[in-house]
Amino acid sequence: MKTIRSRFGFKLFLSYFVVILVGMSVIGIIANLATPRAYERHLAFMAQQIGDGEANVGQGQGQGLGLGRQGQGGGMIVDFYENFQKSFNESLVVAVVAASIVALAVSFIFSRNILEPVRVMRNASQRIAEGHYDERVELRGKDELNQLAGSFNQMAEQLEQVETMRRRLIGDVAHELRTPLTAIKGFAEALTDGVLPASAETYLQIHTEADRLSRLVDDLQELSRVESRAMQLKIHPADLSALIQTVLKRLQYQFDEKQVTLTPYLPHDPIFILADEDRIIQVLTNLIGNALQYTPSSGTVTISIARDKNDARVSVRDTGFGIPPNQLNHIFDRFYRVDKSRSRAHGGSGIGLTIAKHLIEAHGGKIWAESAGENKGSVFLFTLPLA
């Protein structure tokens, strides 16, 4: 009994067999109850057809049957019925035994066929648990078990993607940390060996690399919070135009220094959105700063707002280096860079756009990028719900 309770195959097999046995038992009981009346009815009809007088069908002794006319003929008919009843019961017993044997075989075959996909998924799940994330289950139909297998394959594919991203993240973080650490170590060794003078300029370079390392750690902590949704958003109505103007004032000096034109197209009337002001300022600073970073001198960065049904849509357009079409889908991935050497020279951590994406989605909005190709500029757009 303990084995039966712990094995789904036994339960499924017994469920088939019990259903068949119950059905056969019901057939036997109904047949025995219905046979006497059916026999009487057909016997009376036969007697009328052969003109053998009136058929006297009544109650026999106790609950028995008294069939036919009185006398020897009636006794013969009763004996005939008893023999018929015995032969019927014998045939019914043989049929039940034969049906039980067939039911056992059929139940075993069907239960094994149904359990086979379950066994396959169990073995596949064990291989995935061992780290073989490329394991998949073959689909052989459209029933519920195959739908379950399809969901299993989808889960396995997502786990494989997560594992790939995890490995890539570890490699990217190690690479990003190694760059400033190598520089700091080089400066320290040069100072120790007397190759570099112990001047303010040397210490400033060391401080710059340490500051770069600190910013990367801060960005990683921020990314961890937004991806785990551990941050607390203070959602309330806010004027989107005012937020953009705040960011533009902060970045205007950098635009002037690089000689890039900053052009805002903002409506005269305020556009109120439901958002956390600090987080949206963070997103705007990231996108506008990113546009400045990839726009050469004498270029232009344009910021505009438009109403779109129940949302406000913000676009940050630049005349910079652009994004190849095959890289647009990866632009918001962690540590992804269109031009790794150029972005590294500018000190970007490669996760600012990832943080912006999670922040916008946490507000119930969407964010995406568009570009006509390399050296044709790009535009970053996001939407936020109107208040």
Side-chain angles (χ1 to χ4, degrees):
M1 184 61 67
K2 184 178 180 181
T3 303
I4 294 176
R5 290 179 179 178
S6 62
R7 298 294 296 274
F8 178 71
F10 281 118
K11 294 179 182 179
L12 187 63
F13 171 76
L14 289 179
S15 65
Y16 278 126
F17 188 62
V18 168
V19 169
I20 295 174
L21 286 183
V22 171
M24 290 189 297
S25 300
V26 172
I27 291 175
I29 295 173
I30 298 300
N32 279 286
L33 292 176
T35 297
R37 294 184 180 180
Y39 181 78
E40 291 174 0
R41 186 172 63 254
H42 287 284
L43 186 62
F45 177 75
M46 182 181 66
Q48 291 176 0
Q49 292 292 323
I50 64 177
D52 195 20
E54 294 181 352
N56 182 17
V57 183
Q59 296 293 333
Q61 295 180 358
Q63 296 299 324
L65 291 172
L67 303 174
R69 296 176 295 178
Q70 299 292 334
Q72 185 177 0
M76 292 177 63
I77 293 175
V78 172
D79 291 339
F80 176 76
Y81 172 75
E82 291 177 354
N83 291 325
F84 166 77
Q85 185 73 14
K86 290 178 181 179
S87 64
F88 174 79
N89 289 335
E90 290 177 3
S91 300
L92 188 61
V93 171
V94 174
V96 168
V97 173
S100 299
I101 296 174
V102 174
L104 284 171
V106 173
S107 299
F108 176 76
I109 294 173
F110 272 90
S111 60
R112 185 178 63 178
N113 290 338
I114 291 177
L115 284 176
E116 184 62 24
V118 178
R119 293 192 186 98
V120 172
M121 283 188 283
R122 181 194 62 188
N123 295 334
S125 64
Q126 290 177 349
R127 287 184 56 81
I128 291 176
E130 294 171 357
H132 303 282
Y133 295 100
D134 57 342
E135 190 73 21
R136 298 292 184 273
V137 177
E138 183 180 358
L139 302 181
R140 298 181 179 178
K142 296 183 179 179
D143 57 10
E144 285 79 2
L145 283 176
N146 280 277
Q147 292 175 6
L148 177 60
S151 300
F152 179 88
N153 288 340
Q154 184 179 3
M155 178 196 68
E157 183 176 355
Q158 292 177 351
L159 287 175
E160 185 179 14
Q161 292 176 356
V162 169
E163 177 64 14
T164 301
M165 292 177 63
R166 183 187 68 84
R167 293 176 180 177
R168 190 176 68 184
L169 176 62
I170 292 175
D172 290 338
V173 170
H175 182 74
E176 294 295 332
L177 292 175
R178 186 183 297 113
T179 302
L181 287 175
T182 301
I184 293 174
K185 181 180 178 181
F187 283 123
E189 291 177 350
L191 286 172
T192 303
D193 297 337
V195 177
L196 286 178
S199 62
E201 182 180 359
T202 302
Y203 292 126
L204 179 61
Q205 291 176 339
I206 295 176
H207 180 272
T208 300
E209 293 298 331
D211 186 59
R212 178 181 175 185
L213 183 62
S214 177
R215 288 199 308 270
L216 176 60
V217 173
D218 292 340
D219 287 344
L220 288 172
Q221 290 179 337
E222 181 72 12
L223 179 62
S224 175
R225 285 194 295 267
V226 297
E227 285 189 333
S228 62
R229 297 188 178 183
M231 57 184 177
Q232 298 292 330
L233 296 178
K234 300 177 181 179
I235 303 294
H236 60 272
D239 184 1
L240 182 56
S241 298
L243 297 181
I244 293 178
Q245 289 174 350
T246 299
V247 175
L248 297 183
K249 291 179 181 179
R250 294 179 181 178
L251 298 178
Q252 186 63 57
Y253 175 77
Q254 299 179 26
F255 276 85
D256 294 339
E257 187 178 27
K258 194 176 179 180
Q259 297 181 353
V260 174
T261 303
L262 179 59
T263 306
Y265 290 100
L266 305 179
H268 296 290
D269 297 330
I271 297 180
F272 288 97
I273 57 172
L274 290 175
D276 185 324
E277 293 185 7
D278 293 335
R279 295 300 182 179
I280 299 304
I281 289 177
Q282 181 180 355
V283 172
L284 290 169
T285 302
N286 187 290
L287 295 181
I288 298 174
N290 189 74
L292 172 63
Q293 178 179 339
Y294 289 97
T295 302
S297 298
S298 71
T300 302
V301 174
T302 304
I303 300 93
S304 61
I305 306 176
R307 290 180 180 269
D308 186 9
K309 295 182 179 179
N310 297 325
D311 297 324
R313 184 176 62 188
V314 178
S315 65
V316 179
R317 185 181 302 273
D318 62 65
T319 58
F321 303 113
I323 304 171
N326 61 343
Q327 299 187 30
L328 281 173
N329 293 332
H330 303 285
I331 198 66
F332 294 100
D333 293 349
R334 289 175 298 212
F335 295 105
Y336 190 84
R337 291 186 174 96
V338 176
D339 188 336
K340 294 179 174 58
S341 60
R342 182 181 293 124
S343 61
R344 196 175 305 283
H346 284 74
S349 65
I351 57 178
L353 292 179
T354 307
I355 295 174
K357 179 177 182 292
H358 284 284
L359 289 175
I360 293 298
E361 291 178 349
H363 282 80
K366 297 180 180 179
I367 185 170
W368 67 97
E370 298 176 356
S371 178
E374 292 188 54
N375 299 318
K376 295 183 179 179
S378 59
V379 55
F380 285 83
L381 306 100
F382 66 88
T383 61
L384 291 170
L386 292 172

Coordinates of all heavy atoms in Angstrom, one line a residue, residues 34-64:
A34 N -32.8 -7.2 -14.2 CA -33.7 -7.0 -15.4 C -34.0 -8.3 -16.1 O -35.0 -8.3 -16.9 CB -33.0 -6.0 -16.3
T35 N -33.2 -9.3 -16.0 CA -33.5 -10.5 -16.8 C -34.8 -11.2 -16.5 O -35.5 -11.6 -17.4 CB -32.3 -11.5 -16.5 OG1 -31.1 -11.0 -17.0 CG2 -32.6 -12.9 -17.2
P36 N -35.3 -11.4 -15.2 CA -36.6 -12.0 -15.0 C -37.7 -11.4 -15.7 O -38.5 -12.0 -16.4 CB -36.7 -12.0 -13.4 CG -35.3 -11.9 -12.9 CD -34.6 -11.1 -13.9
R37 N -37.8 -10.1 -15.5 CA -39.0 -9.4 -16.2 C -38.9 -9.4 -17.7 O -39.9 -9.6 -18.4 CB -39.0 -7.9 -15.7 CG -39.3 -7.8 -14.2 CD -39.4 -6.3 -13.9 NE -39.8 -6.1 -12.4 CZ -39.9 -5.0 -11.8 NH1 -39.8 -3.9 -12.5 NH2 -40.2 -4.9 -10.5
A38 N -37.6 -9.3 -18.2 CA -37.5 -9.4 -19.7 C -37.8 -10.8 -20.2 O -38.5 -10.9 -21.2 CB -36.0 -9.0 -20.0
Y39 N -37.5 -11.8 -19.4 CA -37.8 -13.2 -19.8 C -39.3 -13.4 -19.8 O -39.9 -14.0 -20.7 CB -37.1 -14.1 -18.8 CG -37.3 -15.6 -19.2 CD1 -36.6 -16.2 -20.2 CD2 -38.2 -16.4 -18.4 CE1 -36.8 -17.5 -20.5 CE2 -38.4 -17.7 -18.7 CZ -37.7 -18.3 -19.8 OH -38.0 -19.6 -20.1
E40 N -40.0 -12.9 -18.7 CA -41.4 -13.1 -18.7 C -42.1 -12.4 -19.8 O -43.0 -12.9 -20.5 CB -41.9 -12.5 -17.3 CG -41.5 -13.3 -16.1 CD -42.0 -12.6 -14.8 OE1 -42.6 -11.5 -15.0 OE2 -41.7 -13.1 -13.8
R41 N -41.6 -11.2 -20.1 CA -42.3 -10.4 -21.2 C -42.1 -11.1 -22.6 O -43.1 -11.3 -23.3 CB -41.7 -9.0 -21.3 CG -42.4 -8.1 -22.3 CD -41.9 -6.7 -22.1 NE -40.5 -6.5 -22.4 CZ -39.6 -6.3 -21.5 NH1 -39.9 -6.2 -20.2 NH2 -38.3 -6.2 -21.9
H42 N -40.9 -11.6 -22.8 CA -40.7 -12.2 -24.1 C -41.4 -13.6 -24.2 O -41.8 -14.0 -25.3 CB -39.2 -12.4 -24.4 CG -38.5 -11.1 -24.7 ND1 -38.6 -10.5 -25.9 CD2 -37.7 -10.3 -23.9 CE1 -37.9 -9.4 -25.9 NE2 -37.4 -9.2 -24.7
L43 N -41.5 -14.3 -23.0 CA -42.2 -15.6 -23.0 C -43.6 -15.5 -23.3 O -44.3 -16.2 -24.0 CB -41.9 -16.3 -21.7 CG -42.4 -17.8 -21.6 CD1 -41.8 -18.7 -22.6 CD2 -42.2 -18.3 -20.2
A44 N -44.2 -14.4 -22.6 CA -45.7 -14.2 -22.9 C -45.9 -13.8 -24.3 O -46.9 -14.2 -24.9 CB -46.1 -13.1 -21.9
F45 N -45.1 -13.0 -24.9 CA -45.2 -12.6 -26.3 C -45.1 -13.9 -27.2 O -45.9 -14.0 -28.2 CB -44.2 -11.6 -26.7 CG -44.2 -11.2 -28.1 CD1 -45.2 -10.3 -28.6 CD2 -43.2 -11.7 -29.0 CE1 -45.2 -9.9 -29.9 CE2 -43.3 -11.3 -30.3 CZ -44.3 -10.4 -30.8
M46 N -44.2 -14.8 -26.9 CA -44.0 -16.0 -27.7 C -45.3 -16.9 -27.6 O -45.7 -17.5 -28.6 CB -42.8 -16.8 -27.2 CG -42.5 -18.0 -28.1 SD -41.0 -18.9 -27.5 CE -41.6 -19.4 -25.8
A47 N -45.8 -17.0 -26.4 CA -47.0 -17.8 -26.2 C -48.2 -17.3 -27.0 O -49.0 -18.0 -27.6 CB -47.4 -17.9 -24.7
Q48 N -48.3 -16.0 -27.0 CA -49.4 -15.4 -27.8 C -49.2 -15.6 -29.3 O -50.2 -15.9 -30.0 CB -49.5 -13.9 -27.5 CG -50.0 -13.5 -26.1 CD -50.0 -12.1 -25.8 OE1 -49.6 -11.3 -26.7 NE2 -50.4 -11.7 -24.6
Q49 N -48.0 -15.6 -29.7 CA -47.7 -15.8 -31.1 C -48.0 -17.2 -31.6 O -48.5 -17.5 -32.7 CB -46.2 -15.5 -31.5 CG -45.9 -14.0 -31.3 CD -46.6 -13.2 -32.4 OE1 -46.7 -13.6 -33.5 NE2 -47.0 -12.0 -31.9
I50 N -47.8 -18.3 -30.8 CA -48.0 -19.6 -31.2 C -49.4 -20.1 -30.8 O -49.7 -21.3 -31.0 CB -46.9 -20.6 -30.6 CG1 -47.1 -20.6 -29.1 CG2 -45.5 -20.2 -31.0 CD1 -46.1 -21.6 -28.4
G51 N -50.2 -19.2 -30.2 CA -51.6 -19.6 -29.9 C -51.7 -20.6 -28.8 O -52.5 -21.5 -28.9
D52 N -50.8 -20.6 -27.9 CA -50.8 -21.7 -26.9 C -51.6 -21.2 -25.7 O -51.2 -21.5 -24.5 CB -49.3 -21.9 -26.5 CG -49.2 -23.2 -25.7 OD1 -50.1 -24.0 -25.8 OD2 -48.2 -23.4 -25.0
G53 N -52.7 -20.5 -25.9 CA -53.5 -20.1 -24.8 C -53.0 -18.9 -24.1 O -52.1 -18.2 -24.5
E54 N -53.6 -18.5 -23.0 CA -53.2 -17.4 -22.3 C -51.9 -17.7 -21.5 O -51.7 -18.8 -20.9 CB -54.3 -17.0 -21.3 CG -55.5 -16.5 -21.9 CD -56.6 -16.1 -20.9 OE1 -56.4 -16.3 -19.7 OE2 -57.6 -15.5 -21.4
A55 N -51.0 -16.7 -21.5 CA -49.8 -16.9 -20.7 C -50.1 -16.4 -19.3 O -50.5 -15.2 -19.1 CB -48.7 -16.1 -21.3
N56 N -49.9 -17.3 -18.3 CA -50.2 -16.9 -16.9 C -48.8 -16.6 -16.3 O -48.1 -17.5 -15.9 CB -50.9 -18.0 -16.2 CG -51.3 -17.7 -14.8 OD1 -51.2 -16.5 -14.4 ND2 -51.6 -18.7 -14.0
V57 N -48.5 -15.3 -16.2 CA -47.3 -14.9 -15.7 C -47.5 -14.3 -14.3 O -48.2 -13.3 -14.2 CB -46.5 -13.9 -16.6 CG1 -45.2 -13.6 -16.0 CG2 -46.4 -14.5 -18.0
G58 N -47.1 -14.8 -13.3 CA -47.4 -14.3 -11.9 C -46.2 -14.5 -11.0 O -45.1 -14.9 -11.4
Q59 N -46.5 -14.3 -9.8 CA -45.4 -14.5 -8.8 C -45.3 -16.0 -8.5 O -46.3 -16.7 -8.4 CB -45.8 -13.7 -7.5 CG -45.8 -12.2 -7.7 CD -44.4 -11.7 -8.0 OE1 -43.4 -12.3 -7.6 NE2 -44.4 -10.6 -8.7
G60 N -44.1 -16.5 -8.3 CA -43.8 -17.9 -7.9 C -43.8 -18.0 -6.4 O -44.4 -17.2 -5.7
Q61 N -43.1 -19.0 -5.9 CA -43.0 -19.1 -4.4 C -42.1 -18.0 -3.9 O -41.0 -17.8 -4.4 CB -42.4 -20.5 -4.1 CG -43.3 -21.6 -4.6 CD -42.6 -23.0 -4.3 OE1 -41.5 -23.1 -3.8 NE2 -43.4 -24.1 -4.5
G62 N -42.6 -17.3 -2.9 CA -41.9 -16.2 -2.3 C -41.7 -15.1 -3.3 O -42.7 -14.6 -3.8
Q63 N -40.5 -14.9 -3.7 CA -40.2 -13.9 -4.7 C -39.8 -14.6 -6.1 O -39.4 -13.9 -7.0 CB -39.0 -13.1 -4.3 CG -39.2 -12.2 -3.0 CD -40.4 -11.2 -3.3 OE1 -40.5 -10.7 -4.3 NE2 -41.2 -11.0 -2.2
G64 N -40.1 -15.9 -6.2 CA -39.8 -16.6 -7.5 C -40.8 -16.4 -8.5 O -41.7 -15.5 -8.4

